[in-house]
């Protein structure tokens, strides 16, 4: 069923990579592989519903750096886990990981107030939210956060920009000298 599991008709090499479409319930399909000599092999594939259908979102706590996260400031990352027909998955374990960048996940543990990995459970609406803290004085650079549904292993990734800003409300960009004259030909 190509609407569930679209495949490329011609593959070079020994591996076939498939990316299923989203399904509402477990859906079984048969993938038939044929080699260059005409021999075929049917393979049973079970496509599972994606429990993290929406994109992982990030929101800074303030607007000083636009949609980015100012160095030294906080924001939140949220993902919603849902099951068949969009029913929220309550008390589902979601693991957050910092993939790269000068950021950390805030915790309630005084011994380790900032971590690189944290597992939280979803609330009554299926949402799992963590606090994100940018390193104070960090230079402007990209960062990436990954949320993984621990039960299914399905993941979502969000990219954000950490912006060097040491004074709230001040632009992170500076022009030196503050005034310049450009003369064209």
């Amino acid at each position: 069923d190509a609407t569930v599991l679209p495949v490329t008709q011609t593959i070079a090499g020994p591996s076939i990579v498939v990316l299923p479409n989203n399904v509402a319930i477990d859906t079984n399909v048969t993938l038939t592989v044929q080699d260059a000599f005409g021999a075929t092999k049917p393979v049973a594939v079970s496509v599972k519903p994606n429990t993290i259908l929406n994109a992982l979102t990030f929101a800074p706590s303030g607007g000083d750096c636009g949609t980015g996260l100012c160095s030294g400031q906080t924001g939140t990352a949220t993902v919603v886990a849902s099951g068949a027909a969009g029913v929220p998955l309550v008390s589902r374990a979601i693991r957050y990981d910092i993939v790269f960048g000068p950021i950390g996940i805030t915790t309630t543990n005084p011994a380790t107030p900032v971590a690189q990995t944290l597992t939280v459970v979803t609330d009554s609406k299926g949402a799992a939210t963590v606090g994100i803290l940018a390193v104070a004085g960090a230079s402007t650079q990209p960062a990436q956060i990954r949320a993984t549904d621990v039960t299914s292993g399905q993941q979502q990734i969000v990219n954000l920009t950490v912006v060097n800003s040491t004074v709230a409300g001040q632009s992170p960009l500076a022009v030196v000298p503050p005034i310049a004259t450009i003369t064209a030909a």
Side-chain angles (χ1 to χ4, degrees), residues 3 13 16 23 51 53 60 63 82 85 90 103-105 110 113 119 121 140 144 167:
T3 61
I16 299 171
V23 293
T51 56
L53 290 175
S82 58
V90 179
I103 57 175
I105 302 167
T119 300
V121 294
T140 299
Q144 192 174 74
V167 179

Side-chain angles (χ1 to χ4, degrees), residues 18-123:
V18 292
L19 181 63
N21 289 322
N22 287 329
V23 293
I25 59 171
D26 287 359
T27 305
N28 295 318
V29 295
T30 301
L31 180 65
T32 303
V33 180
Q34 179 178 336
D35 67 13
F37 301 106
T40 61
K41 174 72 177 175
V43 178
V45 178
S46 179
V47 177
K48 305 279 186 190
N50 186 353
T51 56
I52 306 178
L53 290 175
N54 68 321
L56 170 63
T57 59
F58 170 78
S61 59
D64 294 341
C65 295
T67 59
L69 181 62
C70 293
S71 58
Q73 292 186 348
T74 62
T76 56
T78 303
V79 71
V80 177
S82 58
V87 175
L89 296 175
V90 179
S91 298
R92 187 77 165 224
I94 304 293
R95 186 184 72 236
Y96 281 91
D97 298 294
I98 302 302
V99 180
F100 63 84
I103 57 175
I105 302 167
T106 58
T107 74
T108 57
N109 183 349
T112 52
V114 180
Q116 293 297 301
T117 297
L118 182 66
T119 300
V120 297
V121 294
T122 57
D123 63 15

